[in-house]
Amino acid sequence: GGEELALSLQAVLAETVALGGYGALYDGLPALVLREVLFSLPKFLVFNAASVFFLAALPALPSLLVSLVAGAVAGVAGAIVSSPADALLTKSGGGAEEAKAPKEDEERGGEKNEALVFSPFSSDGEAAVGKAAGEGGGGPFGGALDGVFAGVGVRCIFFAASISVQFLLYDWFRSLLGVAPADLTEGLDVFADRMSFY
């Protein structure tokens, strides 16, 4: 069970390093970080703006309800903004046309087995962008962008639910522990004070 998994993980890591060096372990990291930034920035910006709007428009709303609704709006915004990057990463890792490195498979008597090696910032990344954009047709964007926004409705539902629960839990724990919003800015005040000396 667990020992086989550990051996398998060791074997995969050793094979990856043998094929592409230690840098191959981090080939997809820039694309993953970019996707996460494209999701997180609008999520926090929209959550903050939506919270301020709902508290100003409906001051009688409980704080937890504001967090729930603003979190849902933030989840939808993050899903829409990050959808093209997510589609690119999905398409780039899932096709037979991507860059491949042949390796010998000893168990099959020297038969060639192909392992996927892909960098989203290589010329193959450009092909993946074209592939993702070209898989549209019949959608709301007239075909040109349908591929990069494929599945955005499902992503919006998923992230609206999950992000609203995250912000609801954050607000609930914050109120449970008696942490006021002003308490969260004290660290920033200290840094601002220190920066004024320079």
Side-chain angles (χ1 to χ4, degrees):
E3 194 172 330
E4 285 179 19
L5 180 61
L7 292 175
S8 298
L9 180 60
Q10 271 183 329
V12 169
L13 288 174
E15 186 173 329
T16 302
V17 170
L19 284 173
Y22 286 101
L25 296 173
Y26 302 98
D27 272 349
L29 185 62
L32 291 173
V33 169
L34 177 66
R35 181 181 68 173
E36 192 60 35
V37 167
L38 287 175
F39 180 79
S40 297
L41 282 177
K43 176 180 81 170
F44 287 113
L45 289 173
V46 169
F47 176 77
N48 188 43
S51 296
V52 169
F53 172 77
F54 288 128
L55 286 172
L58 304 164
L61 280 180
S63 173
L64 293 177
L65 185 60
V66 170
S67 292
L68 188 70
V69 175
V73 174
V76 169
I80 291 170
V81 171
S82 68
S83 187
D86 194 50
L88 171 62
L89 286 174
T90 301
K91 301 299 180 195
S92 66
E97 323 59 66
E98 320 307 343
K100 296 181 193 253
K103 74 174 183 72
E104 292 292 321
D105 188 349
E106 297 167 343
E107 296 175 348
R108 296 187 182 178
E111 232 180 88
K112 294 283 185 184
N113 184 16
E114 297 188 339
L116 182 64
V117 178
F118 175 78
S119 173
F121 297 107
S122 67
S123 61
D124 297 320
E126 294 172 17
V129 172
K131 178 182 174 188
E135 287 188 356
F141 300 105
L145 295 175
D146 288 341
V148 293
F149 285 103
V152 74
V154 175
R155 285 174 48 85
C156 286
I157 293 168
F158 172 76
F159 285 117
S162 63
I163 301 304
S164 64
V165 169
Q166 286 177 10
F167 281 115
L168 175 72
L169 290 173
Y170 163 77
D171 198 31
W172 182 69
F173 277 111
R174 187 179 59 77
S175 62
L176 181 72
L177 296 172
V179 178
D183 295 337
L184 298 174
T185 61
E186 285 182 17
L188 296 176
D189 292 341
V190 169
F191 288 124
D193 184 45
R194 298 292 174 241
M195 296 300 284
S196 65
F197 288 114
Y198 298 109

